[in-house]
Amino acid sequence: MNPSPLSTSAPLHFYFDFISPFGYFASLRIEPLAAQHGRTVEWHAMLLGVSVLKVMGLKPLLDTPLKGDYIRRDAKRYMRRHGLQVNRDLDAPVMDPRAAGRAFYWVKQHQPDLAVPLAHAIYHAYWAEGRDLSTAEAVAAIALPAGLDAQGLREGIESEEARQLLRNAVEASLKAGIFGSPTVVVDGEPFWGVENLGLVEQWLDSGGW
């Protein structure tokens, strides 16, 4: 069913986890893709540790026999195709993403114009630079967007407000049926995986099917 005319300018909803390499790949493309079709993007950090491990009861993808080897190969193939380089080994210990998630939602609450630039900065620091961002101090020490104060951000990450904002967002993502990173929801239609950005573009081109 085609979306109604009222939905044609609705934002895309982009769900991601900072520990997801494919979420990182999608983060580099989602804004230009949306802009080409006159859309904006609402960014939503989620936690794979909740959706995959706790709710679905599954192992992390890289720890899953057979599938893990494919994911490693697929990530490297994607990077070759798109000319990307990362300085984090896919098999390196995974950071605790909660500090990054709290940072994103605290900034989204208090300086909303800087939330997406911060998400890009966190993704770049973690994947392109290979930094461990498991703590508030580590997140606040990255190259922050202009206008964002490192000390204020660190205190914000450690606040109960930020913890509650992240909990609320993760709960909302689960209620929306989101389980993987990246997921893009277009006119109520979810598309999981960076490889499905092509389908997102076709949906935007055609008005849906």
Side-chain angles (χ1 to χ4, degrees):
M1 178 181 297
N2 289 343
S4 69
L6 292 177
S7 70
T8 56
S9 61
L12 311 188
H13 291 271
F14 174 54
Y15 292 85
F16 62 95
D17 190 327
F18 287 112
I19 66 172
S20 164
F22 295 102
Y24 170 53
F25 301 156
S27 76
L28 300 174
R29 295 172 57 189
I30 189 63
E31 294 277 356
L33 189 159
Q36 288 171 7
H37 296 84
R39 304 283 191 114
T40 58
V41 184
E42 287 287 338
W43 290 51
H44 308 271
M46 48 86 73
L47 295 178
L48 292 171
V50 176
S51 65
V52 174
L53 275 66
K54 293 186 177 180
V55 176
M56 298 169 67
L58 302 176
K59 292 182 179 181
L61 281 178
L62 293 180
D63 294 341
T64 303
L66 301 180
K67 184 181 288 187
D69 289 337
Y70 175 82
I71 293 299
R72 292 178 182 87
R73 187 184 194 101
D74 194 32
K76 293 176 181 177
R77 181 171 55 209
Y78 183 97
M79 288 187 284
R80 290 196 305 271
R81 181 185 179 193
H82 293 273
L84 297 176
Q85 289 186 331
V86 301
N87 286 309
R88 171 166 294 280
D89 190 323
L90 292 175
D91 289 308
V94 177
M95 75 168 179
D96 182 337
R98 288 176 294 180
R102 290 168 186 159
F104 173 77
Y105 282 111
W106 187 83
V107 170
K108 190 174 184 180
Q109 180 74 13
H110 294 277
Q111 294 178 272
D113 290 345
L114 297 180
V116 172
L118 176 64
H120 282 300
I122 292 172
Y123 257 138
H124 181 82
Y126 186 65
W127 286 104
E129 298 178 358
R131 300 171 67 167
D132 182 358
L133 304 179
S134 296
T135 66
E137 291 78 6
V139 174
I142 69 173
L144 297 173
L148 197 55
D149 174 68
Q151 177 64 19
L153 178 62
R154 186 187 65 76
E155 293 174 357
I157 295 169
E158 293 176 336
S159 69
E160 179 55 33
E161 178 190 20
R163 287 176 166 82
Q164 190 61 51
L165 287 169
L166 179 58
R167 284 193 291 266
N168 292 347
V170 170
E171 182 179 350
S173 71
L174 294 173
K175 287 182 178 178
I178 307 300
F179 61 88
S181 171
T183 297
V184 180
V185 180
V186 188
D187 304 325
E189 195 74 17
F191 296 86
W192 169 48
V194 69
E195 68 278 4
N196 275 330
L197 288 183
L199 285 178
V200 170
E201 188 161 16
Q202 290 177 27
W203 183 279
L204 292 169
D205 284 336
S206 67
W209 55 85

